PDB file of all heavy atoms in Angstrom:
ATOM      1  N   ASN A   9       5.450   2.882   5.175  1.00 98.00           N
ATOM      2  CA  ASN A   9       5.824   1.644   4.491  1.00 98.00           C
ATOM      3  C   ASN A   9       4.966   0.533   5.066  1.00 98.00           C
ATOM      4  O   ASN A   9       4.891   0.371   6.285  1.00 98.00           O
ATOM      5  CB  ASN A   9       7.309   1.329   4.700  1.00 98.00           C
ATOM      6  CG  ASN A   9       8.190   2.296   3.959  1.00 98.00           C
ATOM      7  OD1 ASN A   9       7.904   2.666   2.833  1.00 98.00           O
ATOM      8  ND2 ASN A   9       9.268   2.714   4.584  1.00 98.00           N
ATOM      9  N   VAL A  10       4.338  -0.234   4.163  1.00 98.00           N
ATOM     10  CA  VAL A  10       3.414  -1.283   4.584  1.00 98.00           C
ATOM     11  C   VAL A  10       3.639  -2.554   3.775  1.00 98.00           C
ATOM     12  O   VAL A  10       4.274  -2.541   2.722  1.00 98.00           O
ATOM     13  CB  VAL A  10       1.939  -0.831   4.437  1.00 98.00           C
ATOM     14  CG1 VAL A  10       1.636   0.350   5.347  1.00 98.00           C
ATOM     15  CG2 VAL A  10       1.602  -0.493   2.997  1.00 98.00           C
ATOM     16  N   ARG A  11       3.089  -3.646   4.297  1.00 98.00           N
ATOM     17  CA  ARG A  11       3.043  -4.921   3.586  1.00 98.00           C
ATOM     18  C   ARG A  11       1.586  -5.278   3.387  1.00 98.00           C
ATOM     19  O   ARG A  11       0.779  -5.188   4.324  1.00 98.00           O
ATOM     20  CB  ARG A  11       3.732  -6.020   4.395  1.00 98.00           C
ATOM     21  CG  ARG A  11       3.824  -7.354   3.644  1.00 98.00           C
ATOM     22  CD  ARG A  11       4.514  -8.422   4.471  1.00 98.00           C
ATOM     23  NE  ARG A  11       3.654  -8.923   5.508  1.00 98.00           N
ATOM     24  CZ  ARG A  11       2.709  -9.860   5.340  1.00 98.00           C
ATOM     25  NH1 ARG A  11       2.502 -10.385   4.156  1.00 98.00           N
ATOM     26  NH2 ARG A  11       1.978 -10.251   6.351  1.00 98.00           N
ATOM     27  N   ILE A  12       1.238  -5.677   2.166  1.00 98.00           N
ATOM     28  CA  ILE A  12      -0.125  -6.130   1.887  1.00 98.00           C
ATOM     29  C   ILE A  12      -0.220  -7.590   2.318  1.00 98.00           C
ATOM     30  O   ILE A  12       0.540  -8.443   1.841  1.00 98.00           O
ATOM     31  CB  ILE A  12      -0.473  -5.963   0.393  1.00 98.00           C
ATOM     32  CG1 ILE A  12      -0.322  -4.489  -0.002  1.00 98.00           C
ATOM     33  CG2 ILE A  12      -1.879  -6.479   0.111  1.00 98.00           C
ATOM     34  CD1 ILE A  12      -0.456  -4.226  -1.488  1.00 98.00           C
ATOM     35  N   LYS A  13      -1.117  -7.871   3.244  1.00 98.00           N
ATOM     36  CA  LYS A  13      -1.199  -9.200   3.853  1.00 98.00           C
ATOM     37  C   LYS A  13      -1.506 -10.311   2.846  1.00 98.00           C
ATOM     38  O   LYS A  13      -0.954 -11.404   2.943  1.00 98.00           O
ATOM     39  CB  LYS A  13      -2.271  -9.210   4.943  1.00 98.00           C
ATOM     40  CG  LYS A  13      -1.936  -8.330   6.131  1.00 98.00           C
ATOM     41  CD  LYS A  13      -3.086  -8.329   7.116  1.00 98.00           C
ATOM     42  CE  LYS A  13      -2.859  -7.377   8.271  1.00 98.00           C
ATOM     43  NZ  LYS A  13      -4.023  -7.353   9.173  1.00 98.00           N
ATOM     44  N   SER A  14      -2.367 -10.062   1.879  1.00 97.00           N
ATOM     45  CA  SER A  14      -2.827 -11.115   0.976  1.00 97.00           C
ATOM     46  C   SER A  14      -1.775 -11.580  -0.025  1.00 97.00           C
ATOM     47  O   SER A  14      -1.802 -12.733  -0.453  1.00 97.00           O
ATOM     48  CB  SER A  14      -4.065 -10.660   0.212  1.00 97.00           C
ATOM     49  OG  SER A  14      -3.745  -9.555  -0.617  1.00 97.00           O
ATOM     50  N   ASN A  15      -0.843 -10.694  -0.402  1.00 97.00           N
ATOM     51  CA  ASN A  15       0.123 -11.084  -1.427  1.00 97.00           C
ATOM     52  C   ASN A  15       1.584 -10.810  -1.048  1.00 97.00           C
ATOM     53  O   ASN A  15       2.486 -11.112  -1.819  1.00 97.00           O
ATOM     54  CB  ASN A  15      -0.199 -10.406  -2.762  1.00 97.00           C
ATOM     55  CG  ASN A  15      -0.212  -8.900  -2.676  1.00 97.00           C
ATOM     56  OD1 ASN A  15       0.342  -8.310  -1.757  1.00 97.00           O
ATOM     57  ND2 ASN A  15      -0.865  -8.268  -3.643  1.00 97.00           N
ATOM     58  N   GLY A  16       1.812 -10.217   0.120  1.00 97.00           N
ATOM     59  CA  GLY A  16       3.168  -9.977   0.593  1.00 97.00           C
ATOM     60  C   GLY A  16       3.888  -8.813  -0.056  1.00 97.00           C
ATOM     61  O   GLY A  16       5.067  -8.587   0.212  1.00 97.00           O
ATOM     62  N   VAL A  17       3.209  -8.060  -0.912  1.00 98.00           N
ATOM     63  CA  VAL A  17       3.843  -6.929  -1.587  1.00 98.00           C
ATOM     64  C   VAL A  17       4.175  -5.845  -0.566  1.00 98.00           C
ATOM     65  O   VAL A  17       3.356  -5.499   0.278  1.00 98.00           O
ATOM     66  CB  VAL A  17       2.927  -6.364  -2.698  1.00 98.00           C
ATOM     67  CG1 VAL A  17       3.449  -5.041  -3.228  1.00 98.00           C
ATOM     68  CG2 VAL A  17       2.776  -7.372  -3.824  1.00 98.00           C
ATOM     69  N   ILE A  18       5.402  -5.324  -0.659  1.00 98.00           N
ATOM     70  CA  ILE A  18       5.859  -4.234   0.192  1.00 98.00           C
ATOM     71  C   ILE A  18       5.706  -2.950  -0.610  1.00 98.00           C
ATOM     72  O   ILE A  18       6.057  -2.902  -1.795  1.00 98.00           O
ATOM     73  CB  ILE A  18       7.336  -4.407   0.590  1.00 98.00           C
ATOM     74  CG1 ILE A  18       7.578  -5.772   1.230  1.00 98.00           C
ATOM     75  CG2 ILE A  18       7.792  -3.250   1.480  1.00 98.00           C
ATOM     76  CD1 ILE A  18       6.817  -6.033   2.487  1.00 98.00           C
ATOM     77  N   GLY A  19       5.188  -1.908   0.020  1.00 98.00           N
ATOM     78  CA  GLY A  19       5.022  -0.655  -0.688  1.00 98.00           C
ATOM     79  C   GLY A  19       4.834   0.519   0.240  1.00 98.00           C
ATOM     80  O   GLY A  19       4.972   0.408   1.455  1.00 98.00           O
ATOM     81  N   THR A  20       4.480   1.647  -0.362  1.00 98.00           N
ATOM     82  CA  THR A  20       4.306   2.908   0.343  1.00 98.00           C
ATOM     83  C   THR A  20       2.896   3.424   0.104  1.00 98.00           C
ATOM     84  O   THR A  20       2.413   3.395  -1.032  1.00 98.00           O
ATOM     85  CB  THR A  20       5.319   3.943  -0.182  1.00 98.00           C
ATOM     86  OG1 THR A  20       6.637   3.417  -0.008  1.00 98.00           O
ATOM     87  CG2 THR A  20       5.205   5.259   0.563  1.00 98.00           C
ATOM     88  N   ILE A  21       2.251   3.916   1.151  1.00 98.00           N
ATOM     89  CA  ILE A  21       0.932   4.525   0.995  1.00 98.00           C
ATOM     90  C   ILE A  21       1.115   5.867   0.302  1.00 98.00           C
ATOM     91  O   ILE A  21       1.845   6.724   0.785  1.00 98.00           O
ATOM     92  CB  ILE A  21       0.244   4.709   2.356  1.00 98.00           C
ATOM     93  CG1 ILE A  21      -0.030   3.345   3.003  1.00 98.00           C
ATOM     94  CG2 ILE A  21      -1.043   5.514   2.209  1.00 98.00           C
ATOM     95  CD1 ILE A  21      -0.563   3.412   4.420  1.00 98.00           C
ATOM     96  N   VAL A  22       0.457   6.027  -0.856  1.00 98.00           N
ATOM     97  CA  VAL A  22       0.597   7.263  -1.630  1.00 98.00           C
ATOM     98  C   VAL A  22      -0.690   8.089  -1.668  1.00 98.00           C
ATOM     99  O   VAL A  22      -0.679   9.220  -2.133  1.00 98.00           O
ATOM    100  CB  VAL A  22       1.095   6.983  -3.064  1.00 98.00           C
ATOM    101  CG1 VAL A  22       2.513   6.431  -3.036  1.00 98.00           C
ATOM    102  CG2 VAL A  22       0.162   6.048  -3.805  1.00 98.00           C
ATOM    103  N   ASP A  23      -1.791   7.521  -1.181  1.00 98.00           N
ATOM    104  CA  ASP A  23      -3.052   8.266  -1.139  1.00 98.00           C
ATOM    105  C   ASP A  23      -3.961   7.635  -0.096  1.00 98.00           C
ATOM    106  O   ASP A  23      -3.963   6.413   0.074  1.00 98.00           O
ATOM    107  CB  ASP A  23      -3.741   8.260  -2.501  1.00 98.00           C
ATOM    108  CG  ASP A  23      -4.955   9.175  -2.530  1.00 98.00           C
ATOM    109  OD1 ASP A  23      -4.784  10.380  -2.240  1.00 98.00           O
ATOM    110  OD2 ASP A  23      -6.062   8.707  -2.835  1.00 98.00           O
ATOM    111  N   ILE A  24      -4.717   8.480   0.596  1.00 98.00           N
ATOM    112  CA  ILE A  24      -5.684   8.014   1.586  1.00 98.00           C
ATOM    113  C   ILE A  24      -6.992   8.747   1.326  1.00 98.00           C
ATOM    114  O   ILE A  24      -6.999   9.975   1.165  1.00 98.00           O
ATOM    115  CB  ILE A  24      -5.213   8.303   3.027  1.00 98.00           C
ATOM    116  CG1 ILE A  24      -3.870   7.623   3.299  1.00 98.00           C
ATOM    117  CG2 ILE A  24      -6.262   7.854   4.040  1.00 98.00           C
ATOM    118  CD1 ILE A  24      -3.238   8.005   4.631  1.00 98.00           C
ATOM    119  N   SER A  25      -8.098   8.003   1.276  1.00 98.00           N
ATOM    120  CA  SER A  25      -9.406   8.630   1.119  1.00 98.00           C
ATOM    121  C   SER A  25     -10.404   7.946   2.039  1.00 98.00           C
ATOM    122  O   SER A  25     -10.225   6.790   2.416  1.00 98.00           O
ATOM    123  CB  SER A  25      -9.884   8.537  -0.336  1.00 98.00           C
ATOM    124  OG  SER A  25      -9.980   7.184  -0.727  1.00 98.00           O
ATOM    125  N   THR A  26     -11.441   8.682   2.406  1.00 96.00           N
ATOM    126  CA  THR A  26     -12.504   8.125   3.240  1.00 96.00           C
ATOM    127  C   THR A  26     -13.837   8.396   2.572  1.00 96.00           C
ATOM    128  O   THR A  26     -14.151   9.543   2.248  1.00 96.00           O
ATOM    129  CB  THR A  26     -12.482   8.753   4.649  1.00 96.00           C
ATOM    130  OG1 THR A  26     -11.199   8.533   5.233  1.00 96.00           O
ATOM    131  CG2 THR A  26     -13.548   8.138   5.540  1.00 96.00           C
ATOM    132  N   VAL A  27     -14.608   7.328   2.340  1.00 94.00           N
ATOM    133  CA  VAL A  27     -15.930   7.433   1.731  1.00 94.00           C
ATOM    134  C   VAL A  27     -16.893   6.639   2.589  1.00 94.00           C
ATOM    135  O   VAL A  27     -16.660   5.464   2.869  1.00 94.00           O
ATOM    136  CB  VAL A  27     -15.923   6.882   0.286  1.00 94.00           C
ATOM    137  CG1 VAL A  27     -17.315   6.933  -0.317  1.00 94.00           C
ATOM    138  CG2 VAL A  27     -14.931   7.636  -0.576  1.00 94.00           C
ATOM    139  N   ASN A  28     -17.972   7.292   3.019  1.00 95.00           N
ATOM    140  CA  ASN A  28     -18.986   6.646   3.853  1.00 95.00           C
ATOM    141  C   ASN A  28     -18.372   5.984   5.088  1.00 95.00           C
ATOM    142  O   ASN A  28     -18.770   4.889   5.482  1.00 95.00           O
ATOM    143  CB  ASN A  28     -19.795   5.627   3.057  1.00 95.00           C
ATOM    144  CG  ASN A  28     -20.585   6.257   1.937  1.00 95.00           C
ATOM    145  OD1 ASN A  28     -21.031   7.402   2.045  1.00 95.00           O
ATOM    146  ND2 ASN A  28     -20.756   5.541   0.845  1.00 95.00           N
ATOM    147  N   GLY A  29     -17.371   6.618   5.668  1.00 94.00           N
ATOM    148  CA  GLY A  29     -16.744   6.102   6.881  1.00 94.00           C
ATOM    149  C   GLY A  29     -15.713   5.020   6.665  1.00 94.00           C
ATOM    150  O   GLY A  29     -15.108   4.533   7.618  1.00 94.00           O
TER     151      GLY A  29
END
Side-chain angles (χ1 to χ4, degrees):
N9 290 319
V10 297
R11 185 180 75 82
I12 301 172
K13 294 176 185 177
S14 64
N15 58 19
V17 169
I18 306 299
T20 302
I21 296 173
V22 294
D23 187 57
I24 301 172
S25 60
T26 303
V27 177
N28 297 328

